[in-house]
């Protein structure tokens, strides 16, 4: 188990969430990864930004990551590597309610979840490969606070995840300041393009004069 990563200020995370996942992806920064599109939001209000708290589960005997959730800190995202196994849910309503009380900002897993209505009612954002009514059968987590791979993205503890209805991006912790600045620049250019279009510019003109083309 690796050492605890340093937290990121919650106001920085809120700002990144407002930048949006597409703007962060559009930075094309080498410290940004995009989680594959088959890891999807499980309900309609799944926006978040937070630091990764990771766990791997035994794919031969899955279990809800209760130990990891008990150690999770405010403003974190629980990242569950279930080795792409989806026949049993690794998360549901009860864990979501507990996570909200603990200040956890969301969940990302390459496994399955259940109790979607309860998760939505708890206002808990979650991204998963699929949903299933079947609960977990195992008893033990394999390892916590270690590097994992979810949807083709390598995620280290403490990396920053930003998600919205378009998907999830991963920001390398060491690149956070550069990516934040670059995402702000992308968002500002998009706002300028919108302004130029509102003033009557053609799309090509607006993209060129707004600095996107």
């Amino acid at each position: 188990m690796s050492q605890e990563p340093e937290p990121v200020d919650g106001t920085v995370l809120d700002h990144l969430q407002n930048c949006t996942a597409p703007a962060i992806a559009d930075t094309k920064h080498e410290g940004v990864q995009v989680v594959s599109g088959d890891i999807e939001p499980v309900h309609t209000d799944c926006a978040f930004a937070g630091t990764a708290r990771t766990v791997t589960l035994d794919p031969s005997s899955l279990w809800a990551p209760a130990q990891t959730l008990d150690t999770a800190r405010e403003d974190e995202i629980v990242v569950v590597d279930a080795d792409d196994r989806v026949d049993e849910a690794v998360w549901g309503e009860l864990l979501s309610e507990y996570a909200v009380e603990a200040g956890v900002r969301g969940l990302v897993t390459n496994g399955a979840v259940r109790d979607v209505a309860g998760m939505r009612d708890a206002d808990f954002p979650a991204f998963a490969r699929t949903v299933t009514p079947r609960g977990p059968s195992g008893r033990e987590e394999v390892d916590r606070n270690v590097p994992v791979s979810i949807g083709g993205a390598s995620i280290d503890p403490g990396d920053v995840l930003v998600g919205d209805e378009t998907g999830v991006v991963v920001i390398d912790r060491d690149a956070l300041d550069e990516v934040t600045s670059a995402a702000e620049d992308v968002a500002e250019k998009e706002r300028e393009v919108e302004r130029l279009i509102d003033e009557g510019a053609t799309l090509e003109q607006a993209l060129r004069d707004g600095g996107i083309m």
Side-chain angles (χ1 to χ4, degrees), residues 92-117:
E93 180 178 4
L94 295 179
L95 270 68
S96 298
E97 291 175 348
Y98 187 95
V100 169
E101 291 297 321
V104 171
R105 290 185 172 221
L107 166 78
V108 176
T109 181
N110 55 8
V113 299
R114 66 177 189 171
D115 306 325
V116 172

Side-chain angles (χ1 to χ4, degrees), residues 2-206:
S2 64
Q3 65 181 10
E4 289 285 325
E6 289 296 319
V8 173
D9 188 277
T11 58
V12 174
L13 297 173
D14 291 340
H15 182 65
L16 278 169
Q17 182 173 322
N18 290 333
C19 284
T20 76
I24 294 168
D26 282 351
T27 66
K28 304 296 194 297
H29 193 284
E30 62 182 6
V32 173
Q33 302 174 75
V34 177
V35 175
S36 64
D38 56 343
I39 308 297
E40 298 181 308
V42 301
H43 57 80
T44 55
D45 189 14
C46 282
F48 63 57
T51 52
R53 176 164 294 269
T54 63
V55 58
T56 60
L57 302 182
D58 183 350
S60 68
S61 185
L62 295 185
W63 184 243
Q67 294 168 307
T68 289
L69 187 53
D70 276 337
T71 64
R73 299 178 299 196
E74 188 174 4
D75 297 333
E76 290 187 327
I77 305 295
V78 176
V79 181
V80 181
D81 186 353
D83 198 35
D84 296 323
R85 179 173 161 182
V86 295
D87 54 310
E88 298 177 5
V90 300
W91 196 277
E93 180 178 4
L94 295 179
L95 270 68
S96 298
E97 291 175 348
Y98 187 95
V100 169
E101 291 297 321
V104 171
R105 290 185 172 221
L107 166 78
V108 176
T109 181
N110 55 8
V113 299
R114 66 177 189 171
D115 306 325
V116 172
M119 297 169 72
R120 182 174 56 246
D121 291 345
D123 196 25
F124 184 73
F127 288 74
R129 190 172 297 282
T130 192
V131 297
T132 178
R134 185 186 301 275
S137 62
R139 288 295 185 274
E140 296 295 333
E141 299 177 2
V142 174
D143 213 346
R144 285 175 279 156
N145 216 23
V146 294
V148 298
S149 179
I150 304 288
S154 299
I155 303 173
D156 291 330
D159 283 349
V160 174
L161 279 68
V162 180
D164 56 34
E165 61 186 357
T166 63
V168 178
V169 293
V170 181
I171 305 172
D172 185 90
R173 182 60 174 268
D174 294 335
L176 183 59
D177 291 341
E178 290 183 6
V179 171
T180 300
S181 178
E184 290 171 343
D185 185 57
V186 169
E188 178 60 32
K189 288 179 178 178
E190 290 178 347
R191 287 192 291 268
E192 177 64 9
V193 169
E194 292 172 355
R195 185 188 67 80
L196 291 169
I197 291 173
D198 288 342
E199 292 181 352
T202 65
L203 178 58
E204 183 176 0
Q205 288 173 329

